[in-house]
């Protein structure tokens, strides 16, 4: 009886009901959009990658044939090798320079604010703009080469941009220029978060400054290393614009990355299934890095 | 470390200090050089470029390349410069930024203050949207835009940017609102306020910083986007980044580097402006959008 | 003013049971204090009363109305939070009027109400400031003002004084009590401070692990605690607990206390314990004191001698630590009669105040000494 009255009371006012479901109502569109545009589309892409599609989607299921084919294509192989090389160098340089700048900036530097903004501004630029600038500066003939020769080193030659063995390094140079500031900002935030009294205690114990940094400060930045590694990897795998502008993947396909490979196959060559297979491979690369990371993040958060 | 602030320094300390500054300034030069070179190149006439070096200051500065880049350079098939594409980017970025930010604000409000069964799962699933490489959704998206009749339109790009921006905007707002005490919301509930009244009267008035962060983040992301632009737009509806690439990567016989540089600066101006006007929020967005789960 | 009935209320968060069958019932206008250690579920219970959280099982009634399914705004309650939860973007005036505006009270009436509240709490000069421009004590007043302005059936307070310094806390304590006298509204007040509980309450509910250990008047919980937990929780310094076993000596049953030198002292008991039975004896510090204190009925006083371990002068009293049955025991003595550390001191123990508790369950064993 009491139960009955309570339910009656619960539903007496349509306004109250609306109020109760409002939060769900409000996020419902986003939820649906997420299901379709993220999860649905990922599944769709995976499905296309297992179909016979060429120019037009064709939903005949052929299993993993396209993946087998993908890994037999030299161009994809080169793209993956480039990603390893480019990604490795990109991450190493960004981390090393970023850490160095952060530590130096943390020494009660006058003008710290101005320097920080200078290091960071490339981040606000599009990779297309960055690519345009570096393409001009690395231009064989008019660019850096001419500058060095005019300064007296007549035999200097710098043709990386058009040299298929070296072109990938020009992409590293431009990408490092653009992203180092970001790593510096993360490290700087990390340094500022370190309890100052720990450093003071070490100084009282007589440790020298470099030793304090090596033994205490840098080890305690582990989470920042971890976080910036994840993000830089993510940036590297997604790299697309910079390659397109700087080298268009060339000479030949010597600077192709998975992202440009995917675009070429899916959008210009009309090999949808292969494009989808390469996209799926990229997705799996990112997941292989992100999922363990998010998992450990969430778990450490849950443990307080 | 503290010894630096006391006026007296030993010689090795002074040398150390000096090299510290030297290295920092060298790096500042390294980061500034490309911008400097872009600017001076953009005001040099072509013959100076052919004969001079990268860093030679212009002898006869001219605004010609800027005018040409803006209004009459050949991009694709038209000779109308970059201005139309610049406007396209505005038409894409403004609505996409506003819509994704507003939806993100409400989502973040629900996911922090009106949690329901499954809301945390929803949030975790949405986070995935921050990390997927967009290549994995390009093909279905192209097809969907075709079905919706939005292929190659500005509205199509607005839709794409809004949808894939939601993960970030929601993340930003949710993390910000988590920091606002629940007691405040409880007090308002007891005071008789409902879902929307609490949002308008209590949450929005304290949300200015996170709006700044989100709007700046979204503006930069959308303005600088190239991938969606190149995949989902054609000819006249392309955003400025795609147009810039077409200009730079043209196969025309004479390369006009000064025009390229002017166009690049024009394409970069809005985000550079945002960065220098509100750098604080920009950096906060970077480090917040970076990892936080 | 309304009565409040909490009837067999349970609260679970997922699989964790935080409240395990709470029963409390107070009359209109009473001042109820919920007290207990951190994490015992006080705030949770308060949130259930406010409607901020849903009840897993049981029933809450405000006045004659079952409020289980009624949202907070329709319960006609007001709440003061530990962090005050003042709306940071609004002036104090706006903070006070927000609830009234939401309820569509006419403007003139709101004005009047705010004037009245501001006068009661003496915050007239703060009305146009923002919360960030106020001191802790002023914020506390405004938070109360916001509750009063609404003129609700019940006030709910969640540790409203715990962010204030000690002096201010004592002042505000008295002020809240005065306010209660003046307004006569039913109050439910959460604290983990037993002194606040004792000084303010008409009724105290002492909670532990989601269970009400005792629901009684302040005097009741102090002098007649129902178990070891309550006895130890209320009172400062805490009640002494001495392990004892009952013995038959001559014709009477009693317990033996042994001091550090091995001297024994027999205390007769006249109720039905069994010889050999073990128990915990509870005695408050003020009931073991120096022999000059003039404790009431001489027949109930037992004198014993013990070596002083430590003395702690608090000003009005001196706390004397001695050892009985290998347990440290605190006695409250007059400063001038307290012995020095290491010396021997004669103590008077008021046997009428002795309580016994079960060793295992901690429950009160009945039968006082006579
Ligand atoms: N939303 C929740 N989900 C899970 N457990 C919760 C939740 N809220 C509270 N608890 C748990 O319920 C128990 C009681 O919490 P409550 O806040 O009521 O304690 P309290 O008595 O008010 O303590 P304090 O004096 O510290 O404020 C705690 O163990 C707490 O961890
Ligand atoms: Mg609490």
């Amino acid at each position: 009886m009491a139960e009955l009255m309570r339910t009656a009371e619960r539903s007496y006012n349509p306004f109250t009901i609306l109020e109760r479901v409002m939060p769900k109502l409000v996020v419902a569109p986003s939820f649906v959009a997420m299901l379709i545009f993220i999860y649905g589309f990922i599944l769709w892409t995976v499905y296309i990658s297992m179909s016979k599609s060429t120019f037009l989607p064709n939903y005949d299921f052929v299993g993993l044939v396209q993946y087998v084919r993908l890994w037999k294509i030299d161009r994809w192989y080169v793209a993956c090798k480039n990603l390893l090389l480019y990604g490795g160098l990109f991450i190493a340089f960004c981390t090393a320079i970023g850490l160095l700048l952060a530590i130096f900036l943390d020494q009660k530097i006058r003008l710290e604010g101005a320097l920080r903004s200078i290091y960071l501004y490339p981040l606000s630029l599009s990779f297309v703009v960055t690519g345009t600038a570096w393409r001009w500066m690395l231009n064989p003939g008019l660019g850096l080469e001419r500058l060095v020769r005019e300064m007296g080193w007549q035999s200097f030659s710098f043709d990386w941009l058009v040299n298929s063995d070296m072109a990938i390094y020009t992409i590293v140079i431009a990408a490092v220029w653009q992203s180092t500031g970001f790593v510096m900002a993360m490290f700087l935030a990390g340094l500022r978060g370190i309890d100052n009294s720990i450093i003071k205690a070490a100084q009282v114990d007589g440790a020298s400054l470099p030793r304090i940094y090596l033994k205490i400060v840098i080890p305690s930045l582990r989470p920042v290393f971890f976080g910036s590694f994840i993000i830089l990897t993510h940036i590297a795998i997604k790299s697309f614009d910079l390659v397109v502008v700087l080298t268009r993947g060339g000479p030949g396909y010597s600077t192709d990355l998975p992202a440009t490979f995917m675009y070429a196959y899916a959008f210009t060559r009309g090999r949808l299934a292969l494009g989808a297979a390469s996209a799926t491979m990229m997705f799996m690369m990112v997941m292989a890095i992100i999922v363990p990371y998010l998992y450990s993040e969430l778990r450490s958060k849950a443990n307080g | 470390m503290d010894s630096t602030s006391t006026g007296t320094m030993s010689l090795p300390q002074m040398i150390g200090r000096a090299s510290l500054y030297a290295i920092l300034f060298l790096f500042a030069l390294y980061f500034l050089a490309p911008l400097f070179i872009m600017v001076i190149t953009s005001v040099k006439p072509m013959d100076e470029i052919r004969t001079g070096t990268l860093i030679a200051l212009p002898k006869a500065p001219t605004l010609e390349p800027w005018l040409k880049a803006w209004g009459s350079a050949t991009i694709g098939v038209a000779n109308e410069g970059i201005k139309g594409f610049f406007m396209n980017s505005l038409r894409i970025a403004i609505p996409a930024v506003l819509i994704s930010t507003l939806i993100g604000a409400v989502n973040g409000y629900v996911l922090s203050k009106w949690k329901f069964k499954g809301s945390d799962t929803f949030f975790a699933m949405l986070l995935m949207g921050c990390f997927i490489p967009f290549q994995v959704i390009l093909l279905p998206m192209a097809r969907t835009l075709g079905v919706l009749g939005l292929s190659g339109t500005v509205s199509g790009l607005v839709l794409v940017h809004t949808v894939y921006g939601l993960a970030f905007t929601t993340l930003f707002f949710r993390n910000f609102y988590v920091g606002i005490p629940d007691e405040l919301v409880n007090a308002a509930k007891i005071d008789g306020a409902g879902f929307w009244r609490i949002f308008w009267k209590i949450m929005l008035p304290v949300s200015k910083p996170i709006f700044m962060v989100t709007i700046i983040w979204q503006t930069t992301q959308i303005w600088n986007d190239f991938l969606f632009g190149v995949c989902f737009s054609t000819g006249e509806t392309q955003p400025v980044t795609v147009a810039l690439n077409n200009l730079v990567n043209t196969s025309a016989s004479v390369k006009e580097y000064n025009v390229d540089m002017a166009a690049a600066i024009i394409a970069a101006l809005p985000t550079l402006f945002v960065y220098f006007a509100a750098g604080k929020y920009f950096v906060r967005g970077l480090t917040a959008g970076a990892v936080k789960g | 003013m309304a009565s409040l009935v909490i009837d067999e209320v349970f609260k679970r968060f997922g699989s964790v049971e935080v409240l395990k069958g709470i029963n409390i019932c107070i009359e209109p206008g009473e001042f109820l204090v919920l007290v207990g250690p951190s994490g015992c579920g006080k705030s949770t219970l308060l949130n259930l009363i406010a409607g901020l959280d849903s009840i897993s099982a049981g029933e809450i009634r405000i006045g004659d109305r079952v409020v289980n399914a009624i949202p907070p705004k329709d319960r006609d309650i007001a709440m003061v939070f530990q962090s005050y939860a003042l709306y940071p973007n609004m002036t104090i005036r706006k903070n006070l009027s927000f609830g009234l505006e939401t309820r569509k009270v006419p403007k003139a009436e709101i004005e009047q109400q705010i004037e009245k509240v501001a006068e009661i709490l003496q915050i007239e000069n703060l009305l146009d400031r923002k919360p960030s421009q106020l001191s802790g004590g002023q914020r506390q007043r405004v938070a109360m003002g916001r509750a009063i302005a609404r003129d609700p059936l019940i006030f709910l307070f969640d540790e409203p004084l715990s962010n204030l310094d000690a002096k201010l806390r004592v002042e505000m304590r008295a002020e809240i009590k005065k306010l209660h006298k003046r307004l006569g509204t039913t109050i439910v007040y959460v604290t983990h401070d037993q002194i606040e509980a004792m000084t303010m309450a008409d009724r105290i509910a002492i909670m532990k692990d989601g269970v009400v250990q005792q629901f009684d008047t302040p005097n009741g919980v102090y002098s007649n605690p129902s178990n070891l937990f309550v006895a130890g929780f209320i009172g400062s310094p805490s009640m002494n607990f001495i392990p004892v076993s009952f013995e038959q000596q001559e014709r009477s049953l009693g317990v033996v206390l042994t001091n550090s030198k091995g001297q024994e002292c027999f205390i007769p008991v006249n109720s039905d314990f069994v010889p050999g039975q073990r128990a915990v004896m509870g005695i408050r510090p003020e009931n073991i004191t120096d022999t000059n204190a003039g404790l009431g009925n001489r027949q109930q006083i037992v004198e014993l001698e013990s070596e002083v371990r430590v003395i702690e002068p608090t000003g009005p009293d001196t706390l004397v630590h001695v050892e009985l049955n290998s347990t440290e025991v605190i006695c409250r003595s007059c400063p001038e009669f307290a012995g020095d550390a290491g010396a021997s001191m004669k103590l008077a123990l008021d046997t009428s105040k002795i309580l016994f508790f079960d060793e295992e369950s901690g429950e009160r064993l009945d039968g006082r000494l006579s």
Side-chain angles (χ1 to χ4, degrees):
Chain A
M1 186 63 200
E3 197 56 38
L4 235 158
M5 272 175 64
R6 212 170 299 156
T7 28
E9 204 158 10
R10 192 169 297 160
S11 53
Y12 73 113
N13 186 349
F15 210 71
T16 321
I17 294 172
L18 184 66
E19 183 80 2
R20 194 166 287 140
V21 297
M22 186 60 88
K24 289 179 196 168
L25 214 59
V26 159
V27 293
S30 303
F31 182 70
V32 173
M34 174 192 80
L35 283 187
I36 296 174
F37 289 98
I38 298 179
Y39 293 91
F41 279 13
I42 290 174
L43 290 179
W44 189 344
T45 299
V46 172
Y47 190 82
I48 295 178
S49 76
M50 296 183 178
S51 72
K52 280 205 260 186
S53 308
T54 48
F55 268 106
L56 289 172
N58 169 334
Y59 294 108
D60 291 344
F61 186 79
V62 294
L64 296 177
V65 171
Q66 305 288 1
Y67 290 89
V68 175
R69 202 174 288 166
L70 178 70
W71 282 101
K72 283 193 185 136
I73 299 175
D74 181 57
R75 184 170 174 181
W76 170 253
Y77 192 71
V78 169
C80 289
K81 216 173 61 184
N82 278 340
L83 178 60
L84 275 183
L85 182 65
Y86 156 77
L89 289 173
F90 169 67
I91 293 169
F93 276 106
C94 281
T95 309
I97 303 176
L99 177 62
L100 185 85
L101 290 180
I103 290 178
F104 281 10
L105 268 190
D106 198 30
Q107 306 301 316
K108 301 204 166 68
I109 292 293
R110 237 166 273 186
L111 293 176
E112 185 203 312
L115 285 170
R116 215 176 36 200
S117 339
I118 290 172
Y119 299 158
L120 268 170
Y121 87 90
L123 278 175
S124 69
L125 301 179
S126 143
F127 270 115
V128 181
V129 172
T130 304
T132 306
W134 283 94
R135 189 186 155 99
W136 160 234
M137 289 186 291
L138 300 178
N139 184 322
L142 292 178
L144 204 61
E145 189 177 281
R146 157 92 60 87
L147 180 64
V148 177
R149 283 186 184 175
E150 295 275 320
M151 278 158 48
W153 182 359
Q154 289 301 333
S155 61
F156 180 78
S157 145
F158 191 86
D159 65 345
W160 287 12
L161 206 51
V162 293
N163 177 334
S164 54
D165 289 332
M166 305 304 282
I168 188 74
Y169 298 105
T170 62
I171 297 172
V172 175
I173 294 173
V176 168
W177 178 79
Q178 166 128 357
S179 303
T180 299
F182 167 63
V183 183
M184 180 219 62
M186 286 192 54
F187 275 117
L188 200 57
L191 285 171
R192 298 276 146 92
I194 293 176
D195 184 1
N196 232 331
S197 57
I198 296 176
I199 297 175
K200 288 213 179 97
Q203 273 177 326
V204 171
D205 282 345
S208 70
L209 204 53
R211 227 183 114 72
I212 292 175
Y213 270 94
L214 273 180
K215 295 283 171 187
I216 297 172
V217 176
I218 293 180
S220 68
L221 289 176
R222 238 176 72 117
V224 187
F225 276 99
F226 208 46
S228 61
F229 173 77
I230 297 293
I231 291 150
L232 291 173
T233 312
H234 189 230
I235 294 176
I237 295 177
K238 292 210 294 189
S239 287
F240 173 70
D241 342 14
L242 196 56
V243 181
V244 171
V245 182
L246 258 182
T247 66
R248 284 157 130 180
Y253 48 79
S254 61
T255 52
D256 246 347
L257 289 178
T260 54
F261 177 96
M262 187 273 165
Y263 179 76
Y265 272 70
F267 285 86
T268 55
R269 292 171 146 224
R271 308 278 299 270
L272 292 192
L274 270 177
S278 62
T280 309
M281 293 307 306
M282 290 178 65
F283 175 67
M284 294 192 328
M285 292 180 210
V286 171
M287 286 304 117
I289 288 168
I290 295 293
V291 169
Y293 174 69
L294 280 188
Y295 182 73
S296 71
E297 273 279 291
L298 292 179
R299 216 181 42 171
S300 69
K301 207 162 275 175
N303 291 348
Chain B
M1 267 187 283
D2 282 342
S3 57
T4 55
S5 47
T6 72
T8 54
M9 265 194 276
S10 66
L11 188 65
Q13 261 178 331
M14 268 163 65
I15 293 172
R17 207 75 195 143
S19 28
L20 193 69
Y21 275 94
I23 291 172
L24 287 174
F25 278 109
L26 271 179
F27 270 105
L29 274 185
Y30 163 68
F31 283 110
L32 280 175
L35 186 62
F36 173 73
I37 291 172
M38 277 167 91
V39 172
I40 59 170
T41 308
S42 75
V43 293
K44 284 183 199 171
M46 260 327 276
D47 51 337
E48 265 189 51
I49 291 179
R50 270 187 226 102
T51 55
T53 64
L54 268 185
I55 55 167
L57 292 176
K59 295 189 196 81
T62 164
L63 281 182
E64 201 59 34
W66 281 74
L67 295 175
K68 186 163 182 197
W70 180 249
S72 65
T74 306
I75 296 172
V77 291
N79 298 323
E80 287 173 3
I82 208 170
K83 69 166 182 279
F85 304 102
F86 190 90
M87 293 304 161
N88 284 344
S89 276
L90 282 181
R91 278 202 290 272
I92 296 163
I94 293 173
V97 168
L98 290 184
I99 299 172
S100 60
T101 304
L102 285 180
I103 300 181
V106 185
N107 281 349
Y109 170 54
V110 171
L111 294 181
S112 57
K113 296 293 176 237
W114 294 83
K115 289 196 186 179
F116 50 86
K117 209 169 177 181
S119 65
D120 282 339
T121 316
F122 169 45
F123 180 61
M125 284 173 76
L126 191 62
L127 267 187
M128 181 81 112
C130 302
F131 292 106
I132 56 167
F134 289 130
Q135 278 75 14
V136 80
I137 51 86
L138 286 179
L139 287 171
M141 195 71 210
R143 188 100 188 115
T144 306
L145 288 176
V147 171
L148 295 176
L150 294 173
S151 281
T153 64
V154 163
S155 324
L157 277 175
V158 171
L159 174 72
V160 175
H161 282 300
T162 304
V163 166
Y164 295 105
L166 277 184
F168 273 104
T169 56
T170 303
L171 169 73
F172 283 154
F173 278 98
R174 186 258 182 197
N175 283 359
F176 180 80
Y177 287 148
V178 158
I180 291 182
D182 286 347
E183 289 194 345
L184 217 53
V185 175
N186 285 344
K189 278 187 198 169
I190 288 174
D191 266 347
F195 181 87
W196 289 111
R197 193 168 156 84
I198 295 175
F199 184 61
W200 285 114
K201 295 283 178 171
I202 313 290
M203 303 302 269
L204 275 191
V206 298
S207 305
K208 191 190 149 220
I210 197 62
F211 266 96
M212 293 291 287
V213 167
T214 311
I215 288 177
I216 287 172
W217 170 270
Q218 281 296 86
T219 307
T220 320
Q221 292 297 307
I222 296 175
W223 187 272
N224 287 343
D225 162 72
F226 180 71
L227 182 64
F228 289 151
V230 85
C231 291
F232 303 136
S233 67
T234 46
E236 298 202 320
T237 59
Q238 284 169 339
V240 71
T241 47
V242 178
L244 176 61
N245 177 52
N246 289 345
L247 175 73
V248 174
N249 266 321
T250 173
S251 42
S253 48
V254 199
K255 284 289 322 162
E256 292 179 294
Y257 295 110
N258 50 2
V259 176
D260 288 1
M261 292 304 125
I265 298 173
I266 292 172
L269 272 182
T271 48
L272 270 182
F273 172 78
V274 164
Y275 172 70
F276 282 107
K280 182 175 75 172
Y281 297 106
F282 181 83
V283 178
R284 216 186 285 171
L286 270 181
T287 35
V291 243
K292 301 286 170 54
Chain C
M1 234 202 279
S3 64
L4 171 69
V5 178
I6 300 168
D7 186 4
E8 250 340 85
V9 163
F10 285 79
K11 176 66 189 174
R12 288 175 213 101
F13 290 110
S15 58
V16 194
E17 195 157 75
V18 172
L19 296 180
K20 304 163 187 167
I22 304 287
N23 288 298
I24 290 172
C25 165
I26 55 169
E27 299 299 315
E30 276 193 314
F31 195 128
L32 166 69
V33 172
L34 302 175
V35 65
S38 194
C40 67
K42 309 176 295 280
S43 301
T44 306
L45 180 56
L46 205 65
N47 285 345
L48 294 187
I49 300 171
L52 294 169
D53 230 328
S54 63
I55 300 170
S56 302
E59 199 170 84
I60 293 181
R61 290 193 293 276
I62 296 175
D64 312 323
R65 207 162 55 134
V66 176
V67 295
N68 285 32
I70 298 179
K73 63 180 162 118
D74 300 325
R75 290 195 181 188
D76 207 357
I77 42 141
M79 190 157 172
V80 178
F81 295 87
Q82 176 172 358
S83 66
Y84 314 140
L86 300 180
Y87 309 127
N89 54 305
M90 303 182 190
T91 60
I92 300 312
R93 189 186 298 278
K94 269 274 168 207
N95 263 282
L96 297 182
S97 66
F98 183 77
L100 298 169
E101 278 169 21
T102 309
R103 292 190 154 69
K104 310 233 162 34
V105 176
K107 270 231 150 54
E109 211 170 304
I110 294 179
E111 287 293 313
Q112 229 178 351
Q113 188 72 358
I114 291 178
E115 292 300 313
K116 194 181 102 193
V117 170
E119 193 223 298
I120 294 177
L121 292 170
Q122 294 154 18
I123 50 174
E124 294 106 322
N125 52 339
L126 306 177
L127 285 177
D128 293 313
R129 294 206 206 159
K130 289 272 179 79
S132 57
Q133 297 165 313
L134 302 188
S135 70
Q138 290 170 326
R139 279 179 216 183
Q140 162 66 53
R141 272 166 209 276
V142 174
M144 291 203 305
R146 189 169 64 179
I148 296 169
R150 290 259 321 283
D151 197 11
L153 289 177
I154 298 185
F155 284 125
L156 307 176
F157 288 80
D158 191 356
E159 306 199 18
L161 304 184
S162 57
N163 284 351
L164 301 180
D165 64 48
K167 182 156 172 283
L168 211 50
R169 208 176 309 166
V170 175
E171 267 172 46
M172 289 307 293
R173 205 162 75 194
E175 213 156 316
I176 293 177
K177 226 175 145 172
K178 251 190 283 173
L179 205 66
H180 178 236
K181 282 243 161 58
R182 173 165 175 176
L183 300 172
T185 311
T186 314
I187 291 183
V188 180
Y189 185 106
V190 165
T191 178
H192 57 243
D193 178 346
Q194 51 97 11
I195 298 184
E196 254 171 49
M198 292 297 287
T199 51
M200 297 167 89
D202 293 326
R203 308 275 215 116
I204 297 182
I206 297 171
M207 294 175 61
K208 184 188 164 209
D209 298 336
V211 177
V212 174
Q213 305 289 320
Q214 187 167 1
F215 176 53
D216 207 336
T217 58
N219 193 30
V221 293
Y222 189 78
S223 53
N224 204 7
S226 61
N227 58 32
L228 264 180
F229 174 77
V230 174
F233 189 81
I234 300 288
S236 172
S238 178
M239 183 185 279
N240 296 301
F241 297 118
I242 308 166
V244 292
S245 62
F246 294 95
E247 284 175 26
Q248 189 80 40
Q249 283 197 1
E250 289 153 24
R251 262 179 299 123
S252 55
L253 187 70
V255 295
V256 173
L257 296 180
T258 314
N259 70 11
S260 51
K261 292 200 186 96
Q263 294 165 325
E264 295 190 350
C265 157
F266 182 78
I267 302 171
V269 186
N270 85 349
S271 42
D272 23 58
F273 293 103
V274 192
Q277 187 183 354
R278 303 183 57 78
V280 175
M281 171 181 139
I283 180 89
R284 293 203 182 272
E286 64 266 31
N287 298 323
I288 316 181
T289 180
D290 56 90
T291 44
N292 309 58
L295 290 176
N297 188 346
R298 297 302 302 180
Q299 281 167 8
Q300 293 172 342
I301 304 299
V302 171
E303 293 199 356
L304 52 126
E305 179 119 0
S306 198
E307 182 192 0
V308 178
R309 284 282 156 86
V310 177
I311 57 165
E312 294 179 313
T314 66
D317 306 306
T318 293
L319 301 180
V320 179
H321 294 232
V322 301
E323 192 180 290
L324 291 173
N325 287 11
S326 313
T327 309
E328 177 142 302
V329 170
I330 300 177
C331 319
R332 177 172 266 156
S333 150
C334 229
E336 60 259 45
F337 301 118
D340 292 323
S344 190
M345 178 178 171
K346 220 170 191 174
L347 296 168
L349 192 154
D350 184 348
T351 58
S352 68
K353 296 288 166 53
I354 291 179
L355 306 173
F356 288 106
F357 300 92
D358 189 83
E359 262 192 332
E360 305 276 306
S361 66
E363 288 306 311
R364 238 325 253 297
L365 297 173
D366 236 13
R368 297 197 160 209
L369 303 181
S370 64

